[in-house]
Amino acid sequence: AQKVTQAQTEISVVEKEDVTLDCVYETRDTTYYLFWYKQPPSGELVFLIRRNSFDEQNEISGRYSWNFQKSTSSFNFTITASQVVDSAVYFCALNGRGDNYGQNFVFGPGTRLSVLP
Amino acid sequence: NAGVTQTPKFRILKIGQSMTLQCTQDMNHNYMYWYRQDPGMGLKLIYYSVGAGITDKGEVPNGYNVSRSTTEDFPLRLELAAPSQTSVYFCASRGSFGQPQHFGDGTRLSIL
């Protein structure tokens, strides 16, 4: 079975603070993909990043960075110098190969980030 | 590129009415999904499809039906609307294993 846990239900920070959103996953697959999505107050779901299980390099894109650690089954997302526009719900997701050619695609419950001015 | 298109964007139904939420994608994706998102909550999978002619239940299928006669279209049918079905409904599609899901803009449905 696959599972994604985002233990932080809600986080509030003041603008310019750094914030890390945690994602812990469970899977028996050796081949899998992890994703982060953003859902701003306007409601749409926006794909941010994908990482496969064989690539543990950290990724940085501007103020965003992602830390993938297989040893702890975590794929954490850090926003540096947060801005009000970062306020959103963030979802972590897992797609494992399993024995059904990768049909399983599981979302975590989401973390609501509020960045206060 | 249109991506995933959902119609309508908003709808108000009376209890007991029926309606179909439309979803179409132009990316030739095999996988398609329907989710509902209640206020302040996460995504709950209603139904999904791995290709034309093949559908399967998600975690909350009761009260809904789907069909997948073409690769492009994946309509969601509500037969007897109930207040508990008030929610935002998202359709998504993706390509092969490891590809991200692409979402439509959602349908906001209220049942009164």
Side-chain angles (χ1 to χ4, degrees):
Chain A
Q2 298 185 139
K3 186 178 180 181
V4 175
T5 301
Q6 295 178 256
Q8 304 149 310
T9 304
E10 295 190 31
I11 302 175
S12 288
V13 299
V14 176
E15 207 169 18
K16 298 184 183 177
E17 285 185 0
D18 298 347
V19 58
T20 295
L21 310 182
D22 297 333
C23 172
V24 174
Y25 62 92
E26 296 176 28
T27 181
R28 295 180 180 176
D29 297 325
T30 56
T31 304
Y32 53 89
Y33 287 82
L34 296 161
F35 306 83
W36 276 96
Y37 286 80
K38 176 182 180 180
Q39 186 177 39
S42 50
E44 71 273 20
L45 283 143
V46 179
F47 163 65
L48 295 177
I49 192 172
R50 177 185 72 164
R51 173 67 72 223
N52 75 54
S53 53
F54 298 107
D55 182 3
E56 288 194 71
Q57 275 195 326
N58 290 336
E59 177 104 7
I60 299 175
S61 177
R63 296 183 297 105
Y64 294 173
S65 63
W66 290 269
N67 179 251
F68 174 34
Q69 289 195 335
K70 287 179 74 171
S71 60
T72 56
S73 297
S74 64
F75 185 43
N76 297 337
F77 174 23
T78 297
I79 302 174
T80 302
S82 60
Q83 299 177 1
V84 172
V85 293
D86 296 326
S87 296
V89 180
Y90 291 88
F91 292 96
C92 182
L94 165 67
N95 181 204
R97 176 171 283 283
D99 54 7
N100 58 7
Y101 306 102
Q103 287 185 26
N104 299 324
F105 201 113
V106 178
F107 282 87
T111 296
R112 181 177 301 275
L113 173 65
S114 298
V115 181
L116 308 174
Chain B
N1 289 337
V4 179
T5 302
Q6 291 184 238
T7 57
K9 294 190 185 303
F10 304 94
R11 184 73 185 269
I12 297 175
L13 282 182
K14 293 183 178 179
I15 295 172
Q17 287 185 321
S18 300
M19 78 162 294
T20 299
L21 281 66
Q22 301 291 345
C23 176
T24 188
Q25 52 93 6
D26 62 359
M27 297 172 281
N28 201 34
H29 284 168
N30 285 326
Y31 292 90
M32 294 190 74
Y33 304 82
W34 275 106
Y35 296 91
R36 60 176 287 173
Q37 186 178 34
D38 299 334
M41 305 297 285
L43 301 168
K44 292 184 179 179
L45 181 63
I46 305 171
Y47 272 95
Y48 69 98
S49 169
V50 301
I54 306 170
T55 62
D56 209 346
K57 296 177 180 179
E59 60 180 303
V60 290
N62 291 343
Y64 307 94
N65 277 300
V66 294
S67 59
R68 184 94 183 271
S69 57
T70 67
T71 299
E72 295 78 21
D73 299 309
F74 191 40
L76 177 71
R77 177 88 177 156
L78 282 72
E79 288 296 346
L80 291 170
S84 60
Q85 294 176 306
T86 293
S87 191
V88 179
Y89 291 83
F90 288 99
C91 179
S93 74
R94 71 174 172 100
S96 56
F97 169 59
Q99 296 301 307
Q101 289 191 25
H102 299 269
F103 284 83
D105 289 338
T107 295
R108 187 175 297 275
L109 179 64
S110 294
I111 298 163
L112 306 175

